[in-house]
């Protein structure tokens, strides 16, 4: 049994010389201790019982059991209860547990709370829980912090409701492990965030006990306190507690400190702490080091750290190895690592494995892995299942998976749900999903939402070349512009049309040109119309040619008219033929009449 408590509590003398300050040298301390020991030795030789007890305690603390034992026995024989307790400690260290218990009993009966605590622990180690509870309760009820903690631990082990009372009592008396365990218990019992008034899901009382335990040097409490503060955004103080915990050997704190430093831009310092944590067996830190080396292109070093993460029991290492192999085109090895992580329950590895199988055409093998990942909570897997079933034509099942992914915030899934609902005529519900997807950054969703809102607007006079119709922007225009700014070509064309309707020709031309240069035939056609109106028909013909070559029938008809006016009848007839083929119907009819007229002119 270890020496229990601090010096004053353990030896019950209160007369140990405390260091006067951190600046005192080792030599001075040693000299003072030697002088103190000499003083007590002389007093003990003169028959001073209290000096015998203190001298024996000093020698016991130093590890000089042979020198301490005669002093403690002499003091015990003279009735000193502190000496009886310390004699028990000495005998326990020598391996004479039963004899030690006898002396602890004598000291405990005489009122020594430390001896009662030691005797209670002795009985618990022997399996005699009733006797252990009796003596631990004696110690605890007399205010002994270690006794209160040991009693709480015993009662908690038995599931006794009284454990919480004594755990709190031990914490209040300064026991750091009790303070930590009390904080953990309060943490687990904490109600929802809105009920506690806490902004990080931890009750203020739990945080208080974490703080007290951490201040007393409890490294796991310092780790938890750092996490609480980091979540709250108090990064500077969080870093201090992580550092305190990490210096005391807590690998998880060193890892967390590394991430904090990385986020602050100090990657080199982060790597130092990750290395320290990884060497202490922290798999998360090993993965972080692997990712760091992978980013630098040092794939062999990255692979070594990912393997170290696996050896530490972190299956993220296998998943990351799969990603590394996949990036290098080592598909077979990637599949092997994904499988290892997936069989261990890694949901993103299961999703990645399914994608890999899908890429090689193994749809049958992919589906169960998508399902396993989705059931484990992978939002991407749920979305991928939607794609899989939609590709088979099983739209009802696909929609169910899309809805599941959308409910978890998947942007593209929300878009697919919105499209399906629009197809089914449920515009109101579709709008809600499209808003979610558009808000999440989907340009297609923003465009489709705009078209829904656009369809509700009052009819405005038809326009083609930019006649002013209205001046203020509507919500649908704002969504069109958001989609357009993200590169959505149809949205760019529509924004151009709306700008033209307002009479803003420059803005219209800008959007038409952007769409046309991205490959939009409608953008090229409309840009041509705008340029022709401004008197730039040659440039307009260039854009109409691009649109017609991409299959735009009206652009082909415009070209036919341009060449006919120029007198280039053969070229005009060629474009008229193209317009007849491309359509739509109205264009085909007009183009056919123009073609026939050009043929007559050519044959005249």
């Amino acid at each position: 049994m270890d020496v229990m408590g601090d010096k004053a509590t353990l030896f019950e003398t209160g007369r140990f010389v405390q260091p006067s300050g951190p600046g005192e040298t080792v030599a001075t301390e040693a000299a003072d201790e030697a002088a103190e020991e000499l003083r007590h030795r002389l007093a003990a030789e003169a028959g001073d019982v209290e000096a015998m007890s203190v001298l024996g305690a000093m020698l016991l603390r130093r590890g000089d059991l042979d020198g301490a034992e005669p002093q403690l026995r002499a003091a015990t024989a003279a009735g000193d209860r502190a000496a009886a307790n310390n004699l028990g400690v000495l005998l326990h260290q020598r391996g004479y547990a039963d004899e030690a218990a006898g002396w602890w009993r004598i000291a405990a009966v005489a009122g020594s709370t430390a001896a009662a605590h030691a005797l209670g622990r002795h009985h618990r180690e022997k399996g005699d829980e009733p006797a252990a509870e009796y003596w631990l309760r004696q110690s605890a009820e007399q205010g002994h912090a270690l006794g209160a903690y040991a009693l709480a631990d015993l009662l908690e082990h038995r599931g006794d409701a009284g454990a919480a009372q004594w755990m709190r009592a031990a914490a209040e008396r300064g026991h750091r492990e009790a303070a930590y365990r009390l904080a953990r218990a309060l943490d687990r019992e904490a109600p929802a965030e809105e009920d506690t008034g806490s902004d990080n899901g931890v009750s203020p009382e739990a945080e208080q006990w974490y703080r007290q335990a951490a201040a007393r040097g409890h490294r796991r409490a310092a780790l938890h306190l750092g996490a609480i503060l980091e979540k709250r955004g108090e990064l500077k103080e969080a870093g201090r507690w992580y550092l305190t915990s990490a210096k005391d050997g807590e690998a998880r704190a060193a890892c967390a400190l590394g991430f904090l430093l990385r986020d602050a831009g100090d990657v080199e310092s982060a790597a130092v702490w990750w290395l320290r944590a990884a060497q202490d067996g922290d798999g998360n830190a090993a993965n972080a080091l692997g990712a760091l080396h992978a980013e630098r292109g040092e794939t062999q070093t990255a692979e070594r750290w990912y393997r170290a993460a696996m050896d530490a029991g972190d299956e993220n290492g296998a998943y990351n190895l799969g990603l590394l192999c996949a990036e290098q085109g080592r598909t077979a090895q990637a599949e092997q690592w994904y499988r290892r992580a997936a069989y261990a329950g890694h949901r993103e590895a299961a999703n990645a494995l399914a994608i890999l199988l899908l890429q090689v055409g193994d749809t049958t093998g992919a589906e169960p892995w998508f399902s396993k990942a989705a059931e484990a909570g992978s939002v991407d897997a749920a979305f991928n299942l939607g794609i899989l079933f939609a590709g088979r034509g099983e739209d009802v099942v696909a929609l169910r998976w899309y809805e599941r992914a959308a409910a978890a915030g998947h942007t593209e899934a929300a878009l697919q749900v919105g499209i399906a609902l629009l197809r089914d005529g449920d515009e109101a519900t579709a709008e809600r999903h499209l808003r979610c997807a558009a808000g999440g950054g989907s340009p297609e969703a923003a465009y489709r939402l705009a078209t829904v809102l656009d369809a509700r607007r009052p009819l405005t006079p038809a326009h083609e070349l930019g006649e002013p119709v209205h001046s203020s922007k509507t919500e649908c225009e704002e969504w069109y512009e958001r989609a357009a700014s993200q590169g959505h070509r149809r949205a760019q064309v529509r924004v151009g049309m709306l700008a033209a309707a307002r009479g803003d020709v420059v803005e219209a031309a800008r959007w038409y040109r952007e769409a046309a240069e991205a490959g939009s035939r409608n953008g090229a056609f409309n840009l041509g119309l705008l340029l022709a109106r401004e008197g730039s028909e040659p440039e307009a013909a260039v854009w109409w040619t691009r649109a017609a070559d991409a299959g735009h029938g009206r652009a082909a008809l415009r070209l036919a008219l341009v060449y006919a006016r120029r007198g280039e009848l053969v070229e005009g007839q060629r474009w008229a033929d193209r317009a007849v083929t491309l359509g739509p119907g109205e264009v085909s009819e007009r183009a056919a009449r123009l073609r026939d007229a050009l043929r007559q002119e050519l044959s005249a």
Side-chain angles (χ1 to χ4, degrees), residues 46-106:
D48 188 323
V49 174
E50 191 173 354
M52 295 176 193
S53 179
V54 174
L55 178 59
M58 291 180 73
L59 296 170
L60 175 60
R61 181 184 62 181
R62 186 190 302 161
D64 184 359
L65 303 188
D66 291 336
E69 185 169 353
Q71 299 293 338
L72 292 175
R73 285 192 180 275
T76 299
D80 189 298
R81 70 179 188 185
N85 175 51
N86 289 331
L87 181 56
V89 173
L90 184 148
L91 292 168
H92 191 277
Q93 289 184 15
R94 288 191 183 277
Y96 304 124
D98 292 336
E99 188 179 351
W103 289 111
W104 282 329
R105 183 181 296 275
I106 291 171

Side-chain angles (χ1 to χ4, degrees), residues 4-25:
M4 296 155 287
D6 59 28
K7 288 179 290 185
T9 302
L10 170 62
F11 302 122
E12 297 188 346
T13 64
R15 292 188 297 278
F16 283 102
V17 177
Q18 300 295 329
S20 62
E24 194 171 54
T25 65

